[in-house]
């Protein structure tokens, strides 16, 4: 049901009356959903419902075709108000009203306790407060890059304004002139533990104005005023916040009086019946209690399937080949490959965005910026916003890359990267200065847990290329395949890995395959499993051992997550494995290999050489020696394993 398009200066009497009736029906649906589930957030859902009906009722999104590429998008940042979102969408015809009533918070149902993208009309799965505005910024930026006329609306709670990420998002939106973005605030002044002014006082309009936004304050339950404010915001010269003064549980007096009690608690059946009577709605609770006891239907089969709007490059360009005597680092090879990915994207007319957080010369994204300035976005030292903006971009017809230091791109923003995974984004994360290879920066900057963190999700894939040639090929592979991919690199220059005849191993006709381990040298008696740039040190160890007639197998692992059964069995064939990694071995490649060996019923001895504690500042090579990760130490460990 499309009520209009924000074209008229005012709502008609008929439109206002229709919104009023929909609001009454939705309030009943919200109360029933939460009571039937015996949990949920009715108070904020009700205080937000009037402006949400205006947004979905008048934005350019068709309930019959909810995934049209150039649609307007509504992001619900205060995701706990899912009952309100589901009620509004159902009453406007996106799906049958019966579905959320029967499915809210039931196992297997898409109508979860916090909004999820499986529901038509929901653009971003939220719940982790403070992140929705960043997603809305990403969608608005994507529309601007693609030349679409789409508008983006972000519904927010007042409690989440206490977080820092919305401020990061506000400043980014102003910098890039995202006038196609409008935020709406559910300003009911109540949160889970009580009045907001008692929990953490703040001047919300002043904060937004200080960051360059216009602010329009309205009665959030006056649909005419909300409509006028949103329409004015769409014609403003800067991004605008419509601050809606609302009342929690508006329309049910006893709930209004009890305030924050109903922020996150459901009414009992008796109280729900009382509230439905106040709203003049029929009491059909018993029917829905009975429905929810029946076997669950095929929820997803009853909803339209979401189309995948992420993009990959059909041809990422011809790989570079670095000579055996080249002196460079993986991050420079990444920067050069990314620049050429930008060239390939331009030829294919695919939009590519590269985000940076004040590190472009260190991460080498400056090479892309110099050649493709219209696709480069400088977000300042605001990593939480950048992570989510990039994720949202990747779902809206843009290939998104984000370059940062590993400590910030993974550890600091783990919650954001987890939410990207939940949303099924197509983010290309390129982090440099990983491990103790960043040496002199010291323990606060030694990222030694990146794999453990990302491997604890269900979708992220981690790549640690061994040298510049493999780095180039990994970057191009990432651009041509869908998924959340992280390429992890150090800071130091690394040698080009040679074949035994001296030619570059990862150059020429070498094709990167994430599902395969590279067999760099053959031997016997033991296997060295080398992760990423540790291959150069492992090769030093192999040469020392070969000189004594003790050469082991030497395997290089660039994709830790995707160890094939065949390669795991091959590694275990000598029953002695030494794993070398610039990572905490408790959560790194060695432990992951042990898991895979156990899955296959294999029991070789595995010795894990990694970072055994927070290291001090110092040159990387000296730190590797201290940690037993230099060539001589690796060779010694292999010899010790041979005699056990």
């Amino acid at each position: 049901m499309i009520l209009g398009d924000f074209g008229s200066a005012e709502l008609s009497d008929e439109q206002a009356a229709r919104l009023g009736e929909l609001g009454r029906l939705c309030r009943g649906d919200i109360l029933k959903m939460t009571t039937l589930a015996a949990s949920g957030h009715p108070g904020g859902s009700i205080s937000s419902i009037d402006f949400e009906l205006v947004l979905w009722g008048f934005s350019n999104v068709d309930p019959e075709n909810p995934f049209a590429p150039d649609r307007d998008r509504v992001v619900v940042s205060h995701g706990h108000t899912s009952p309100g979102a589901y009620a509004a969408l159902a009453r406007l015809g996106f799906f049958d009203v019966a579905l959320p009533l029967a499915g809210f918070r039931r196992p297997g149902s898409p109508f979860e306790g916090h909004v999820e993208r499986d529901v038509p009309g929901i653009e971003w799965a939220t719940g982790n407060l403070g992140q929705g505005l960043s997603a809305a910024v990403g969608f608005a930026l994507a529309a601007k890059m693609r030349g679409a006329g789409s508008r983006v609306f972000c519904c927010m709670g007042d409690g989440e304004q206490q977080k820092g990420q919305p401020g990061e998002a506000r400043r980014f939106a102003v910098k890039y002139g995202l006038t196609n973005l409008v935020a709406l605030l559910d300003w009911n002044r109540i949160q889970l533990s009580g009045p907001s002014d008692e929990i953490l006082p703040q001047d919300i309009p002043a904060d937004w104005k200080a960051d360059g936004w216009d602010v329009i304050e309205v009665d959030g339950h006056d649909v005419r005023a909300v409509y006028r404010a949103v329409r004015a915001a769409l014609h403003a010269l800067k991004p605008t916040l419509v601050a809606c003064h609302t009342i929690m549980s508006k329309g049910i007096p006893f709930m209004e009086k009890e305030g924050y009690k109903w922020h996150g608690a459901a009414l009992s059946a008796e109280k729900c019946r009382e509230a439905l009577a106040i709203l003049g709605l029929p009491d059909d609770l018993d029917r829905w209690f009975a429905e929810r006891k029946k076997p669950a239907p095929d929820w997803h089969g009853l909803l339209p399937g979401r189309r995948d709007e992420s993009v990959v490059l059909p041809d990422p360009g011809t790989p570079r080949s670095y000579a055996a005597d080249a002196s460079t680092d993986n991050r420079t090879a990444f920067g050069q490959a990314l620049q050429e990915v930008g060239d390939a994207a331009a030829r294919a007319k695919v939009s590519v965005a590269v985000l940076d957080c004040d590190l472009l010369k260190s991460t080498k994204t400056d090479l892309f910026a110099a050649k493709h300035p219209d696709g480069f976005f400088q977000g300042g030292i605001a990593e939480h916003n950048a992570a989510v903006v990039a994720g949202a971009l990747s779902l809206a017809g843009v290939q998104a890359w984000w370059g940062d230091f590993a400590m910030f791109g993974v550890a600091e923003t783990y919650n954001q990267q987890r939410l990207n995974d939940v949303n099924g984004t197509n983010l290309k994360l390129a982090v440099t200065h990983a491990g103790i290879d960043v040496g002199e920066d010291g323990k606060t900057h030694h990222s030694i847990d990146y794999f453990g963190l990302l491997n604890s999700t269900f979708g992220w894939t981690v790549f640690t290329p061994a040298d510049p040639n493999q780095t180039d090929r990994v970057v191009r592979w990432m651009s041509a395949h869908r998924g959340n991919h992280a390429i992890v690199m150090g800071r130091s220059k690394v040698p080009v890995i040679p074949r035994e005849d001296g030619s570059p191993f990862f150059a020429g006709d070498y094709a990167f395959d994430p599902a395969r381990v590279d067999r760099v040298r053959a031997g016997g008696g033991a296997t060295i499993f080398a992760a990423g740039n540790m291959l150069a040190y492992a090769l030093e160890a192999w040469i020392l051992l070969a000189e004594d007639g003790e050469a082991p197998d030497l395997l290089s692992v660039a994709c830790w997550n995707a160890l094939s059964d065949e390669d795991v069995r091959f590694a275990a064939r000598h029953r002695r494995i030494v794993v070398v990694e610039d990572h905490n071995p408790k959560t790194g490649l060695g432990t992951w290999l042990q898991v895979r060996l156990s899955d296959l019923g294999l029991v070789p001895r595995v010795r894990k050489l990694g970072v055994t504690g927070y290291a001090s500042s110092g040159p990387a090579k000296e730190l590797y020696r201290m940690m037993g990760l230099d060539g001589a130490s690796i060779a010694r460990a292999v010899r010790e394993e041979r005699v056990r």
Side-chain angles (χ1 to χ4, degrees):
M1 180 190 303
I2 300 173
L3 302 180
D5 61 1
F6 289 114
S8 301
E10 295 282 347
L11 289 177
S12 68
D13 291 344
E14 181 182 357
Q15 288 170 327
R18 183 65 182 141
L19 285 168
E21 175 60 10
L22 287 171
R24 184 176 75 96
L25 294 172
C26 286
R27 282 169 167 81
D29 295 338
I30 290 165
L31 295 174
K32 285 187 279 188
M33 270 185 247
T34 51
T35 294
L36 290 165
S39 65
H41 297 78
S45 297
I46 291 172
S47 60
S48 301
I49 193 61
D50 295 311
F51 67 73
E52 289 183 349
L53 283 167
V54 170
L55 292 183
W56 273 305
F58 290 86
S59 60
N60 180 28
V61 54
D62 183 356
E64 299 297 323
N65 185 21
F67 307 125
D70 292 336
R71 67 189 179 278
D72 291 345
R73 298 175 191 254
V74 179
V75 175
V76 181
S77 185
H78 55 332
H80 58 275
T81 63
S82 59
Y86 302 153
L89 290 166
R91 291 293 176 178
L92 288 169
F94 284 78
F95 41 81
D96 193 318
V97 175
L99 293 179
L101 288 172
F104 182 59
R105 292 194 170 212
R106 282 183 72 181
S109 165
F111 298 97
E112 297 189 21
H114 291 76
V115 293
E116 301 292 341
R117 294 182 72 244
D118 287 341
V119 175
I122 300 298
E123 298 290 351
W124 190 256
T126 54
N128 306 64
L129 290 174
Q131 298 194 31
L133 185 61
S134 295
V137 165
F139 290 135
L141 182 59
K144 187 174 181 180
M145 290 184 69
R146 294 174 52 245
S150 307
R151 292 86 56 91
V152 181
F153 305 95
C154 183
C155 307
M156 307 184 74
D158 50 4
E160 65 183 307
Q161 307 307 309
Q162 296 161 1
K163 287 196 166 189
Q165 188 172 336
E168 297 178 8
R170 292 194 298 264
R171 293 185 282 276
F172 188 98
V174 168
K175 176 180 178 180
Y176 289 104
L178 300 182
T179 54
N180 58 338
L181 171 63
V182 178
L184 290 95
L185 177 69
D186 179 17
W187 201 358
N188 60 39
R189 294 176 170 79
I190 294 175
Q191 52 198 90
L192 181 62
S193 303
S196 299
D197 286 344
E198 294 179 9
I199 292 169
L200 189 65
Q202 63 182 136
D203 187 337
I204 295 175
D207 287 345
W208 285 71
K209 290 176 182 177
D211 287 330
W213 284 58
D214 279 342
V215 176
I216 303 173
E217 296 188 39
V218 298
D219 177 349
H221 301 300
D222 181 343
V223 292
R224 293 180 184 274
V226 171
Y227 176 89
R228 285 193 298 269
V230 172
R231 190 172 184 276
L234 290 171
H235 292 86
L237 298 178
K238 60 176 69 174
T240 300
L241 169 70
V242 178
C244 298
H245 293 273
T246 59
I247 297 172
M248 184 167 281
S249 307
K250 171 69 174 177
I252 302 95
F254 74 85
M255 293 181 72
E256 291 181 28
K257 182 178 179 180
E258 293 175 318
Y260 72 91
K261 176 179 178 180
W262 302 112
H263 169 90
L267 295 176
S268 66
E270 180 183 358
K271 282 292 187 182
C272 184
R273 298 181 200 279
E274 180 182 340
L276 291 173
I278 292 171
L279 292 168
L281 295 171
D283 173 7
D284 56 357
L285 274 180
D286 290 339
R287 171 199 166 189
W288 290 109
F289 276 124
E291 286 292 326
R292 290 172 67 95
K293 292 179 181 178
K294 295 178 181 178
D298 175 13
W299 301 106
H300 293 84
L302 297 171
L303 297 171
R306 180 179 292 273
R307 74 174 63 174
D308 186 5
E309 298 174 66
S310 59
V311 293
V312 297
L313 294 186
D315 178 7
T318 303
R320 283 177 173 245
S321 287
Y322 294 85
D325 60 352
S327 177
T328 188
D329 45 50
N330 287 346
R331 55 196 173 111
T332 297
F334 154 72
Q336 291 173 333
L338 183 62
Q339 182 188 77
E340 293 174 11
V341 163
D343 297 340
R347 292 191 297 270
K349 299 187 180 336
V350 171
S351 295
V352 173
V354 174
L355 279 75
D356 176 71
C357 289
D358 195 33
L359 292 169
L360 73 167
K361 291 188 180 299
S362 295
T363 60
K364 305 303 180 181
T365 55
D366 61 327
L367 300 176
F368 179 94
K371 189 81 175 286
H372 305 283
D374 291 344
F376 183 80
F377 301 95
Q378 176 56 259
I381 307 170
E383 294 90 356
H384 300 92
N385 176 63
V388 178
V389 168
L393 276 167
S394 78
L395 290 178
V398 175
Q399 182 165 116
W401 292 76
W402 175 33
D404 209 326
F405 285 1
M407 182 55 70
F408 313 137
V410 180
E412 180 166 340
T413 55
Y414 174 70
N415 179 259
Q416 284 75 15
Q417 302 298 16
R418 182 183 181 278
L419 198 60
N420 280 332
D421 189 52
V422 167
N423 279 284
T425 61
N426 183 39
L427 176 56
K428 311 306 174 186
L429 175 65
V431 293
T432 66
H433 295 63
I436 58 174
D437 183 62
V438 72
E440 290 87 347
D441 281 353
K443 58 177 63 67
T444 61
H445 281 53
H446 292 166
S447 174
I448 55 172
D449 50 8
Y450 54 83
F451 176 73
L453 290 169
L454 293 179
N455 196 47
S456 66
T457 70
F458 294 100
W460 275 97
T461 302
V462 178
F463 302 112
T464 55
D467 75 352
N469 281 315
Q470 193 174 42
T471 299
D472 179 277
R473 285 150 179 79
V474 169
V475 170
R476 296 175 198 273
W477 188 95
M478 290 167 63
S479 74
H481 292 81
R482 198 199 186 287
N484 287 322
H485 302 140
I487 180 171
V488 182
M489 299 161 282
R491 177 176 66 180
S492 304
K493 291 183 177 181
V494 294
V496 170
I497 300 299
R499 298 182 183 275
E500 292 190 77
D501 64 5
S503 63
F505 188 95
F506 298 108
D509 59 359
Y510 169 81
F512 174 68
D513 181 353
R516 298 311 306 265
V517 167
D518 292 296
R519 301 176 186 182
V520 179
R521 295 288 189 274
T527 301
I528 300 178
F529 224 56
N533 65 340
M534 298 311 297
L535 178 58
Y537 293 92
L539 184 55
E540 289 179 12
W542 187 91
I543 292 170
L544 291 172
L545 291 164
E547 288 173 351
D548 295 335
E550 300 176 331
D553 282 334
L554 175 56
L555 308 183
S556 175
V557 185
C559 182
W560 300 17
N561 312 72
L563 300 177
S564 71
D565 291 354
E566 180 184 349
D567 285 329
V568 172
R569 289 191 175 95
F570 183 83
R573 67 195 184 111
H574 301 306
R575 304 187 65 81
R576 295 176 180 83
I577 303 174
V578 175
V579 179
V580 185
E581 56 185 314
D582 188 356
H583 194 281
N584 182 343
K586 293 169 63 177
T587 59
L589 177 60
T591 295
W592 180 238
L593 175 61
Q594 286 177 318
V595 170
R596 296 289 293 111
L597 289 164
S598 178
D599 288 343
L600 296 174
L602 302 172
V603 288
R605 176 174 170 79
V606 177
R607 181 162 176 177
K608 296 180 287 188
L609 304 182
V611 182
T612 56
Y614 295 117
S616 60
S617 293
K621 288 188 177 181
E622 293 183 20
L623 295 181
Y624 285 139
R625 189 177 301 112
M626 290 175 61
M627 292 286 175
L629 294 172
D630 61 307
S633 298
I634 297 168
R636 183 166 55 250
V638 173
R639 290 189 181 104
E640 290 172 355
E641 290 307 308
R642 286 181 183 275
V643 300
R644 284 182 178 271

